[in-house]
Amino acid sequence: MSNRLKVTPNDLSAFWMGFTPNRQFKKAPRMVVSAKDMHYTSSDGRQILDGSAGLWCVNAGHCRPKIVEAIQTQAANLDFAPTFQFGHPLAFELANRLVDIAPVGLEHVMYTNSGSESVDTALKTAIAYHRAKGNGSRFRLIGRERGYHGVNFGGVSVGGIVGNRKMFGTLLTGVDHLSHTHNLAKNAFTKGEPEHGAELADELERIVALHDASTIAAVIVEPVAGSTGVLVPPKGYLKRLREICTKHDILLIFDEVITGYGRLGTPFAADYFGVTPDIMVTAKGLTNGVIPMGAVFVTKEIHDAFMNGPEHVIEFFHGYTYSGNPIASAAALGTLDTYKEEGLLTRASELAPYWEEAVHSLKGEPNVIDIRNIGLIGAIELAPIAGEPGKRGFNCIVRGFEHGAMLRITGDIIALSPPLIITKGQIDELVDHVRDTIRAVA
Ligand SMILES: Cc1ncc(COP(=O)(O)O)c(C=O)c1O
């Protein structure tokens, strides 16, 4: 008899879960079985308030009718079609709709299936662009400490989280890193963008002086770093980075995997900060997290640099089997319709003042050493338990779930990013959950 037949349906051991302490989880699983709007239902029938839009992706809330219907209809009509050498209309319609809401200048879109793939697509595009322009010596990539750009080799190489890097050998060569901008001594408890730290962008000049601009292809940053605990850029930092990139013909890549699709109260963080990158990386909120899909936006100049040579020859040797998958495209269109009808790409700007006050009301709670916010994002940094970094944060996950909230934690930092449909009453409820949790783990 095959081993498969002997597996009990609820055996948890076979699934090796990502970014999870597997042994702990499987002893005391935190399971959800359904979801609607702002809430999950747990396997023991409790309502769990979603404090993190899943993994920063369910921007329109859960099981939204337009998205569900789009997927169901598409699955019954055209389930799969290649987008290598063939096409289907939805992928083109979606690209046009995306370019319509993108910052001016970003005119072309490539599809992927995740944030990690979007990042690697962007990095490859940057290097290939310079080569296509006759600048093949521009191969270096510059990331930033505490940056998160997914888990593929390119993204891990430019990323700056030691735990994600140290197990995986040499990674990509020719990569350098800017310093991160987190400065508790100067910026703790800032509301919105911190005052101190714009000068850290000038480190790019130091890196240029070290390697020479003629060897550097691109700089990649998250406009607001999420996965290392919400690092809001200092006032003027991104503008400065843009200026230095432009001065040296270095491409600027914004990783908007978490900031894209309304998180800051503008369609993209590029709009919020008034800084347009050359390449913009997105995923997550593109389909409301429902079907895996990413989109990488590039300027006309980058796109056009590839459009030469004989017309029967492929211009860029890159793409994924599922790039522009019909069902994913339908989910994305249903998502964009929902965002538009409910004004969700700008709703966070209306809620932001209320949100800011609510999140900062946690100042003075036990072990709270910083609170940060921007758009509909908040972070509460807790002092670690001596000798056990991350333990207090982990306790927050467990306690929060037991008491009815899904909280996202990095280390000892609680990162809040609820669905953009949240009401003011639910903001209060979420902050009360966080307050109870912080007290309980003190
Ligand atoms: C900024 C950023 N880039 C890339 C990724 C990777 O996305 P994915 O997990 O879809 O590969 C994430 C995921 O959290 C992210 O926050």
Side-chain angles (χ1 to χ4, degrees):
M1 187 166 51
S2 123
N3 272 344
R4 276 184 85 173
L5 298 179
K6 290 189 217 144
V7 174
T8 49
N10 59 356
D11 185 344
L12 305 188
S13 69
F15 176 21
W16 187 353
M17 300 164 74
F19 285 116
T20 300
N22 276 253
R23 288 157 302 157
Q24 188 283 336
F25 181 90
K26 288 165 190 178
K27 276 186 196 147
R30 295 172 290 281
M31 293 280 207
V32 295
V33 292
S34 64
K36 185 70 194 141
D37 299 330
M38 281 298 301
H39 290 89
Y40 290 101
T41 304
S42 66
S43 53
D44 54 355
R46 295 175 302 116
Q47 288 295 287
I48 309 285
L49 185 62
D50 186 353
S52 54
L55 288 174
W56 303 76
C57 46
V58 187
N59 287 3
H62 293 272
C63 291
R64 300 308 311 277
K66 274 254 152 96
I67 306 170
V68 173
E69 195 195 320
I71 293 168
Q72 286 172 336
T73 308
Q74 190 57 40
N77 184 43
L78 178 66
D79 51 358
F80 178 85
T83 57
F84 300 171
Q85 306 279 8
F86 302 92
H88 66 91
L90 285 192
F92 293 94
E93 183 187 341
L94 175 60
N96 290 329
R97 292 273 299 274
L98 289 171
V99 167
D100 276 351
I101 60 165
V104 175
L106 296 173
E107 295 183 16
H108 299 273
V109 173
M110 287 180 274
Y111 294 120
T112 72
N113 307 290
S114 68
S116 301
E117 288 181 0
S118 291
V119 166
D120 279 35
T121 296
L123 300 175
K124 287 174 70 181
T125 303
I127 293 171
Y129 160 76
H130 286 297
R131 190 180 149 117
K133 297 266 286 185
N135 299 322
S137 68
R138 284 190 183 260
F139 60 88
R140 287 186 200 282
L141 300 167
I142 313 299
R144 191 167 58 182
E145 294 166 0
R146 293 187 69 145
Y148 181 63
H149 301 292
V151 292
N152 291 348
F153 269 106
V156 170
S157 302
V158 292
I161 303 179
V162 64
N164 293 356
R165 293 166 56 84
K166 68 182 180 191
M167 302 290 278
F168 307 111
T170 55
L171 306 176
L172 285 189
T173 56
V175 172
D176 215 331
H177 288 77
L178 297 162
S179 297
H180 66 74
T181 61
H182 194 35
N183 187 338
L184 276 184
K186 287 195 172 157
N187 292 325
F189 298 103
T190 296
K191 293 180 174 172
E193 295 164 75
E195 290 296 332
H196 303 281
E199 70 285 355
L200 290 166
D202 295 338
E203 280 200 7
L204 184 54
E205 289 284 15
R206 179 182 60 74
I207 292 174
V208 166
L210 175 67
H211 297 297
D212 198 78
S214 66
T215 70
I216 302 176
V219 171
I220 181 166
V221 291
E222 301 157 270
V224 177
S227 293
T228 47
V230 180
L231 310 183
V232 180
K235 280 185 188 153
Y237 174 90
L238 293 172
K239 281 211 161 88
R240 185 84 194 103
L241 209 53
R242 172 72 274 182
E243 284 162 11
I244 301 171
C245 285
T246 304
K247 178 176 152 197
H248 295 293
D249 282 330
I250 296 168
L251 296 180
L252 178 62
I253 305 172
F254 274 179
D255 181 344
E256 295 233 22
V257 167
I258 60 160
T259 50
Y261 308 103
R263 181 54 55 194
L264 301 188
T266 49
F268 298 95
D271 305 305
Y272 186 95
F273 294 109
V275 176
T276 306
D278 302 291
I279 304 180
M280 188 171 77
V281 168
T282 74
K284 295 200 192 250
L286 168 60
T287 57
N288 205 36
V290 178
I291 301 269
M293 188 181 218
V296 179
F297 297 72
V298 303
T299 59
K300 180 172 172 2
E301 190 187 344
I302 292 175
H303 168 268
D304 289 356
F306 292 87
M307 298 301 136
N308 47 37
E311 284 203 1
H312 71 283
V313 174
I314 293 166
E315 294 113 356
F316 187 27
F317 284 82
H318 181 76
Y320 300 94
T321 297
Y322 306 109
S323 293
N325 170 282
I327 300 175
S329 299
L333 286 166
T335 300
L336 293 184
D337 287 344
T338 307
Y339 289 160
K340 191 168 179 189
E341 279 163 22
E342 301 180 15
L344 295 181
L345 295 182
T346 52
R347 186 159 192 273
S349 67
E350 292 151 34
L351 289 173
Y354 192 86
W355 172 256
E356 179 171 275
E357 289 313 309
V359 173
H360 280 269
S361 74
L362 295 164
K363 190 173 178 182
E365 294 296 338
N367 302 304
V368 173
I369 56 173
D370 188 23
I371 297 175
R372 311 183 270 280
N373 72 286
I374 189 162
L376 208 56
I377 304 177
I380 300 97
E381 183 156 355
L382 303 176
I385 296 172
E388 291 184 290
K391 183 79 191 303
R392 198 187 305 281
F394 175 73
N395 292 344
C396 289
I397 300 179
V398 176
R399 161 81 196 197
F401 192 78
E402 279 168 10
H403 286 256
M406 189 179 280
L407 302 177
R408 181 97 187 107
I409 311 283
T410 8
D412 291 300
I413 302 166
I414 303 171
L416 301 174
S417 59
L420 305 174
I421 57 167
I422 194 168
T423 62
K424 287 184 176 171
Q426 287 164 333
I427 290 177
D428 293 342
E429 203 185 313
L430 180 59
V431 170
D432 282 345
H433 274 299
V434 175
R435 194 184 312 278
D436 288 348
T437 301
I438 293 173
R439 289 181 185 174
V441 302

